[in-house]
Amino acid sequence: MSFQSNIPDGPLKEKWTKHKFDLKLVNPANKRKYNIIVVGTGLAGASAAASFAELGYNVQAFSYHESPRRAHSIAAQGGINAAKNYPNDGDSIYRLFYDTIKGGDYRAREANVYRLAEISNNIIDQCVAQGVPFAREYGGLLDNRSFGGAQVSRTFYARGQTGQQLLLGAYSALIRQMGKGTVQFHPRHEMLDLVLVNGEAKGIITRNLVTGEINRHSANAVVLATGGYGNVFFLSTNAMASNVTAAWRAHRKGAYFANPCFTQIHPTCIPVSSEHQSKLTLMSESLRNDGRVWVPKKKGDNRNPSDIPEEDRDYYLERLYPSFGNLVPRDVASRRAKDMCDKGHGVGNTGLAVYLDFSDAIQRLGRDAVSAKYGNLFDMYQQITGENPYETPMRIYPAVHYTMGGLWVDYNLMSNVPGLFVLGEANFSDHGANRLGASALMQGLADGYFIIPQTIGNYLSEKLNETVSIEDSAFSSAENDVRERAEKLLSVNGSRTVDDIHKELGKILWDNVGMSRESSGLNEAIQKIPALREEFWNNVRVPGNNESFNPELEKAGRVADFLELGETMARDALNREESCGGHFREEHQTEENEARRNDEGYTYVAAWEYQDGAPPNLHKESLNFENVSLTTRSYK
Amino acid sequence: MQITLKVWRQSDANSPGDFVSYPVDNVTEDMSFFEVIDMLNDELVLRGEEPIAFDHDCREGICGTCGIFIDGRAHGPLQGVTSCQVHMRSFTDGQEIVVEPWRARAFPVIKDLAVDRTAFDRIMASGGYISVNTGSSVDANATPISKHDADEAFDAAACIGCGACVASCKNASAMLFVGAKVSQYALLPQGQPESKERVLNMVATMDDEGFGSCTNTGACESECPKEISLEHIARMNREFIKASLG
Ligand SMILES: Cc1cc2nc3c(=O)[nH]c(=O)nc-3n(C[C@H](O)[C@H](O)[C@H](O)COP(=O)(O)OP(=O)(O)OC[C@H]3O[C@@H](n4cnc5c(N)ncnc54)[C@H](O)[C@@H]3O)c2cc1C
Ligand code: SF4
Ligand code: FES
């Protein structure tokens, strides 16, 4: 095991170039002798798998989806950042780097973030070449918008469906290789364990979700691109099936889990409406460019919003942050909305919502212009709530959206388990304690198209002919564990459904490890989650058998892992005695209720090592800032 | 509200299926149609019965995973909406709602309402891409593309691959799905170098996969949740003729 960040030395701007030169290469004639497993075919996995195959490697790709095009990446709305500076408004690679590292509240590595900004421009070129229909101006060139509080317009977008178009681009690259037979894609196959041989990742165990068949797959390296773990909260903007299992199984096999408590709560989502709510829907952040957020000044004022005159409204973001106003970063906007509702100013039936009002924008720009910009979002809102946002302000509330934490990786995107690489939202690498809008798509594609195809060779070059047979005992024992676990889940035959227990876990986490945290609540979560885990293993009911299409069994396995992750999140949040980015500790705030970082004590990545039957072990990777100075984020 | 779901149950591709009726109480207007199935499934599990299998993921109309007939219509009663976006305010108290899977030879049933649409991927693998390797592209602004063409290409690219077009066509034709992809690339300069092979190969694979031929009834367009226009089929036909003539 190695826990070295492997950040190359030299000046920031030359690190990646120099590193690429220093990496060992695999002889082109030998590439076809290597097998690479890619688990997950969202943006990160599809782009990686396609690029590996183009280089000549043999690729086995896996997804629990029926097609790569279904991955959760498809749902991204707003856009993707790049430092092209096409609008000539002062953007540069350095500025994108600076904004991202500052936005992450100085809890990410300088070298990684700089590389990300550097690669951002290649991504746009690549996607356009694939036929991704980004928005264009009348002159035929690409259009940009400002997004997520950025002071420059650097976001490329494809209406409100940027993720869809980027994923379809990556999918097309992947499917081209599938057609050529260089990538073998296994749809509806879920990875349920990682196989280690002599401490190195050499394969995986999967379950065919249609037939229930359990299979072994061996390779020279394993790449996980399995997405984020926001669904640990039950309700989130993630797709229903998004889960942590692949990452968690790897964690149990020794891969460190970094900064699990860094979760992002997005400020503009449609509020919960019923106890049967199954998921939450994001209303793109771009709405804050024109919508104004407000609550009634008077507590419990339940007049119709149109009956509340200007002087009785509190446009609290504009009041508290005159220079950024409604465009403050996500973490700040979310926490302020919660504050307002906690103080009794919330609106709607539940009191857990604030208004996002477009009446000024409609007056200023006209209804047609507003509709051209946001029409599809307004329609979606109306479809879900039955209310017309052209006429009455939207009601919004924060919801879990993204997870900055994930498996720890070094500069080469390799975890501390040799041969195990982690890409996209599944790793922890670039967003620190808070991710800026339009930067996850950028990171996933940077990882998949441009970083891993270079760095994996450095590892593989020394592993020629090191493929392990699936008859090896490491494979049989991992397969046994997978079978036993399924049998165990099916045999409990208790009285609670998987969802019922998942909802209870979600509530514990939302109340204690959500938008604001303090030690007593965190300790409470650390007590309650293990008890709920007990309850799960003794009282869950999973119908059917292992030998058929059984979605309840799939969910049960994922929730079992969430029940372990949740506790580690609480421990990580308790350990971090500071407020930074999305991690807000009540105990650490200024008089004006702003986050107070503790740079002396906590300028590190918290990487947790799994321990069987005991709390995880903390390893610290300290973060060194050589180019930027740590300032307090101020959006006033 | 109280409703009755009359649901197609089929244990796998090789078994016969049948409708089973389930009364469901405590339904509220704000619930999505899938949340009603969730609630029913929880009851079924606790009663010791098999829950209803159905495909879904994003639940916001973009991933294309969901797709069922609700009350005789692909994706339910509303225009431009996927199954997962249907809410109970579209129904009335006491209503019986018939729920069925896509029915098409090329989409075999996996279980209950879930079907296998991997035939779509095989069509795409035969030409639904532009052959450009990672890293070999020029600056994104090197080739201006008229906004009009880019917008139209986008309209085609909005297809979510749900299969409603196939399921609602009496011939189970995949022309709208294939037409959308061919059309997207036909409208863009990047798509030109491979335009001939693309259309010929994709159409050939479509036929091999057992999809029927198009007789221009337009059912696909009216049931498509992304309102993909028949014009894309027309454009594909033109591409096909051009390619066949050499
Ligand atoms: C509603 C919404 C809007 C967003 N909008 C934006 C935006 O505008 N801009 C932006 O930059 N970011 C946005 N994001 C964030 C961004 O979409 C995601 O972070 C990113 O797409 C994740 O990509 P990924 O490839 O890492 O994972 P995913 O796309 O989640 O893919 C995960 C893949 O792993 C597979 N998988 C997982 N576990 C297993 C297993 N055990 N076995 C087999 N396969 C497995 C899945 O099948 C899937 O193929 C948004 C997110 C949401 C929820
Ligand atoms: S053309 Fe429409 S109906 Fe057909 S697969 Fe695409 S989105 Fe679905
Ligand atoms: S579940 Fe994604 S489109 Fe319906």
Side-chain angles (χ1 to χ4, degrees):
Chain A
M1 303 253 171
S2 116
F3 184 56
Q4 298 292 320
S5 64
N6 293 319
I7 295 171
D9 34 67
L12 186 64
K13 294 181 179 174
E14 285 156 33
K15 282 182 197 285
W16 178 231
T17 309
K18 173 173 175 297
H19 188 66
K20 280 190 285 188
F21 181 74
D22 291 340
L23 288 169
K24 284 179 261 168
L25 297 174
V26 174
N27 174 342
N30 280 340
K31 288 205 173 103
R32 64 186 165 77
K33 298 182 188 156
Y34 289 96
N35 290 308
I36 304 175
I37 283 175
V38 178
V39 187
T41 46
L43 280 178
S47 56
S51 304
F52 288 148
E54 289 164 9
L55 289 171
Y57 295 113
N58 285 313
V59 183
Q60 302 276 326
F62 298 83
S63 164
Y64 57 70
H65 287 103
E66 67 164 352
S67 163
R69 66 182 297 155
R70 309 270 184 240
H72 167 60
S73 294
I74 202 97
Q77 301 172 350
I80 176 167
N81 286 333
K84 286 279 194 187
N85 193 30
Y86 287 156
N88 194 28
D89 56 358
D91 201 10
S92 62
I93 289 172
Y94 194 86
R95 188 180 293 280
L96 175 54
F97 152 74
Y98 181 79
D99 287 353
T100 307
I101 205 127
K102 175 184 173 206
D105 224 354
Y106 307 100
R107 292 294 175 265
R109 292 181 192 138
E110 277 188 340
N112 283 56
V113 177
Y114 191 84
R115 173 175 66 184
L116 177 65
E118 218 178 330
I119 290 173
S120 66
N121 293 338
N122 305 70
I123 297 173
I124 303 303
D125 299 342
Q126 182 65 28
C127 295
V128 168
Q130 290 168 342
V132 170
F134 283 122
R136 287 180 183 267
E137 294 168 343
Y138 284 101
L141 301 182
L142 294 162
D143 189 23
N144 290 119
R145 64 177 170 203
S146 105
F147 191 75
Q151 308 283 64
V152 292
S153 289
R154 62 160 73 101
T155 304
F156 293 77
Y157 65 101
R159 294 193 197 151
Q161 287 136 266
T162 316
Q164 178 194 31
Q165 295 308 320
L166 294 176
L167 182 62
L168 293 179
Y171 161 78
S172 71
L174 175 60
I175 205 134
R176 169 174 164 236
Q177 298 300 327
M178 283 159 61
K180 289 183 173 177
T182 50
V183 174
Q184 211 189 337
F185 177 63
H186 304 261
R188 296 196 198 252
H189 275 63
E190 180 162 25
M191 165 187 163
L192 294 179
D193 211 352
L194 176 72
V195 180
L196 301 190
V197 177
N198 300 327
E200 305 209 7
K202 289 293 175 200
I204 61 171
I205 307 292
T206 60
R207 177 170 181 273
N208 176 329
L209 301 181
V210 178
T211 62
E213 216 179 313
I214 310 283
N215 292 117
R216 310 171 184 184
H217 309 270
S218 108
N220 300 88
V222 176
V223 177
L224 300 187
T226 46
Y229 53 85
N231 276 349
V232 67
F233 289 88
F234 187 75
L235 286 180
S236 86
T237 63
N238 288 12
M240 299 295 290
S242 297
N243 70 83
V244 78
T245 288
W248 197 255
R249 294 284 116 195
H251 176 54
R252 291 183 60 122
K253 287 275 165 93
Y256 295 172
F257 210 106
N259 300 333
C261 82
F262 286 170
T263 50
Q264 177 163 84
I265 316 275
H266 196 293
T268 54
C269 302
I270 300 179
V272 175
S273 67
S274 89
E275 56 169 318
H276 297 291
Q277 190 93 27
S278 56
K279 75 152 291 181
L280 294 171
T281 302
L282 175 78
M283 288 283 100
S284 168
E285 183 154 43
S286 59
L287 291 172
R288 285 198 281 145
N289 286 337
D290 286 303
R292 296 180 70 195
V293 176
W294 64 274
V295 292
K297 276 188 184 153
K298 221 167 63 217
K299 285 183 192 182
D301 183 345
N302 51 16
R303 280 179 289 175
N304 205 307
S306 56
D307 297 337
I308 302 181
E310 273 310 296
E311 62 271 19
D312 290 350
R313 301 176 175 194
D314 180 8
Y315 294 89
Y316 58 89
L317 289 177
E318 296 169 23
R319 171 169 60 80
L320 292 165
Y321 307 99
S323 74
F324 276 68
N326 294 295
L327 293 174
V328 289
R330 293 176 178 179
D331 51 340
V332 178
S334 291
R335 202 155 36 71
R336 290 298 178 185
K338 177 181 187 302
D339 253 15
M340 287 308 189
C341 296
D342 289 352
K343 289 184 182 138
H345 298 277
V347 300
N349 290 341
T350 55
L352 290 177
V354 300
Y355 288 126
L356 180 62
D357 196 334
F358 291 89
S359 49
D360 281 0
I362 291 173
Q363 241 170 36
R364 183 163 39 93
L365 307 167
R367 189 184 155 123
D368 289 348
V370 170
S371 159
K373 270 183 160 166
Y374 308 115
N376 63 332
L377 295 167
F378 280 31
D379 293 348
M380 183 147 83
Y381 181 86
Q382 181 158 19
Q383 180 54 36
I384 292 174
T385 61
E387 287 175 5
N388 180 351
Y390 292 102
E391 274 147 30
T392 185
M394 281 185 180
R395 284 172 295 109
I396 53 161
Y397 198 66
V400 175
H401 179 58
Y402 181 86
T403 51
M404 282 76 70
L407 290 179
W408 182 88
V409 288
D410 69 3
Y411 188 73
N412 292 320
L413 304 181
M414 187 160 86
S415 73
N416 59 307
V417 174
L420 177 69
F421 294 80
V422 192
L423 319 180
E425 193 173 339
N427 72 25
F428 88 106
S429 64
D430 297 352
H431 308 294
N434 173 55
R435 176 176 72 78
L436 290 183
S439 59
L441 302 179
M442 170 172 73
Q443 181 229 330
L445 291 178
D447 287 1
Y449 283 132
F450 295 104
I451 302 175
I452 191 77
Q454 314 275 335
T455 59
I456 203 166
N458 191 53
Y459 170 79
L460 290 176
S461 62
E462 311 205 320
K463 306 285 164 190
L464 191 61
N465 304 325
E466 268 193 30
T467 311
V468 179
S469 153
I470 55 167
E471 302 308 326
D472 190 279
S473 63
F475 278 92
S476 46
S477 83
E479 180 185 328
N480 265 344
D481 293 347
V482 166
R483 285 186 191 282
E484 274 173 21
R485 192 156 179 266
E487 291 310 320
K488 206 167 145 196
L489 287 167
L490 288 161
S491 64
V492 179
N493 209 18
S495 64
R496 292 182 68 180
T497 61
V498 174
D499 277 358
D500 182 23
I501 293 178
H502 192 176
K503 284 180 190 174
E504 186 175 336
L505 171 67
K507 182 154 178 11
I508 296 173
L509 288 169
W510 181 247
D511 290 345
N512 301 297
V513 199
M515 264 184 286
S516 85
R517 301 142 179 206
E518 43 89 33
S519 66
S520 68
L522 291 168
N523 279 310
E524 190 182 311
I526 291 168
Q527 300 301 314
K528 279 184 171 171
I529 296 171
L532 186 61
R533 211 157 52 219
E534 275 292 299
E535 165 79 359
F536 176 87
W537 285 104
N538 289 302
N539 198 19
V540 73
R541 174 167 307 187
V542 185
N545 57 39
N546 187 31
E547 288 75 38
S548 63
F549 188 61
N550 189 345
E552 285 292 314
L553 176 61
E554 295 165 27
K555 276 199 290 190
R558 296 167 190 164
V559 171
D561 290 334
F562 280 143
L563 283 161
E564 295 182 7
L565 164 71
E567 183 186 340
T568 304
M569 286 166 68
R571 289 186 186 280
D572 184 41
L574 184 63
N575 169 69
R576 195 168 278 278
E577 292 282 353
E578 65 166 347
S579 295
C580 60
H583 170 66
F584 189 81
R585 283 282 301 264
E586 298 282 335
E587 301 94 322
H588 305 290
Q589 54 180 310
T590 65
E591 274 92 72
E592 292 156 315
N593 306 108
E594 298 295 345
R596 179 178 280 139
R597 273 199 334 260
N598 175 349
D599 290 333
E600 276 84 78
Y602 293 90
T603 311
Y604 65 73
V605 176
W608 298 90
E609 178 188 6
Y610 181 81
Q611 303 224 83
D612 208 7
N617 247 339
L618 175 62
H619 300 265
K620 300 176 184 174
E621 178 201 329
S622 63
L623 293 166
N624 304 314
F625 291 89
E626 293 165 358
N627 297 275
V628 300
S629 49
L630 279 59
T631 57
T632 301
R633 290 190 307 167
S634 168
Y635 298 96
K636 292 230 171 252
Chain B
M1 314 160 54
Q2 194 265 343
I3 54 150
T4 300
L5 295 182
K6 192 174 162 196
V7 184
W8 182 260
R9 304 298 313 256
Q10 179 174 347
S11 51
D12 56 52
N14 303 317
S15 315
D18 207 352
F19 282 105
V20 182
S21 283
Y22 301 95
V24 192
D25 290 332
N26 301 322
V27 172
T28 62
E29 287 204 327
D30 284 341
M31 288 170 77
S32 71
F33 188 73
F34 283 180
E35 283 165 358
V36 174
I37 303 187
D38 291 343
M39 187 165 81
L40 170 61
N41 273 347
D42 273 0
E43 276 173 39
L44 293 179
V45 169
L46 295 178
R47 289 212 303 254
E49 294 174 38
E50 282 258 334
I52 299 159
F54 66 112
D55 271 330
H56 61 92
D57 199 20
C58 72
R59 294 202 177 186
E60 49 188 66
I62 193 73
C63 72
T65 310
C66 67
I68 49 178
F69 281 101
I70 302 174
D71 225 16
R73 288 194 59 189
H75 290 304
L78 302 173
Q79 197 69 33
V81 156
T82 54
S83 308
C84 60
Q85 292 175 298
V86 173
H87 281 69
M88 296 316 288
R89 70 180 74 87
S90 296
F91 304 97
T92 51
D93 195 18
Q95 192 173 340
E96 180 188 74
I97 306 168
V98 180
V99 191
E100 288 173 88
W102 288 165
R103 298 192 189 277
R105 186 152 62 99
F107 294 161
V109 170
I110 291 175
K111 185 175 182 178
D112 300 335
L113 306 173
V115 301
D116 179 354
R117 284 166 293 191
T118 47
F120 271 3
D121 279 348
R122 291 188 290 273
I123 297 177
M124 294 291 265
S126 69
Y129 50 78
I130 288 168
S131 298
V132 49
N133 283 358
T134 305
S136 52
S137 42
V138 295
D139 183 83
N141 260 349
T143 313
I145 300 174
S146 93
K147 181 168 163 55
H148 177 266
D149 288 349
D151 284 351
E152 218 174 319
F154 185 97
D155 290 340
C159 163
I160 58 173
C162 64
C165 46
V166 175
S168 56
C169 171
K170 67 179 168 47
N171 309 318
S173 165
M175 285 290 271
L176 195 60
F177 169 78
V178 181
K181 195 39 74 179
V182 168
S183 194
Q184 177 195 343
Y185 293 140
L187 284 159
L188 298 172
Q190 302 94 304
Q192 300 315 313
E194 296 166 289
S195 60
K196 276 187 197 166
E197 301 83 356
R198 175 176 306 115
V199 65
L200 295 176
N201 290 340
M202 288 180 81
V203 168
T205 313
M206 173 175 80
D207 294 342
D208 290 348
E209 289 289 342
F211 292 99
S213 52
C214 173
T215 51
N216 283 316
T217 62
C220 53
E221 182 187 47
S222 63
E223 297 297 348
C224 170
K226 298 295 145 182
E227 304 179 319
I228 304 287
S229 151
L230 285 177
E231 277 175 34
H232 299 298
I233 296 186
R235 185 172 292 108
M236 172 164 72
N237 284 334
R238 290 195 296 274
E239 289 284 307
F240 187 81
I241 293 167
K242 235 180 359 188
S244 314
L245 293 179

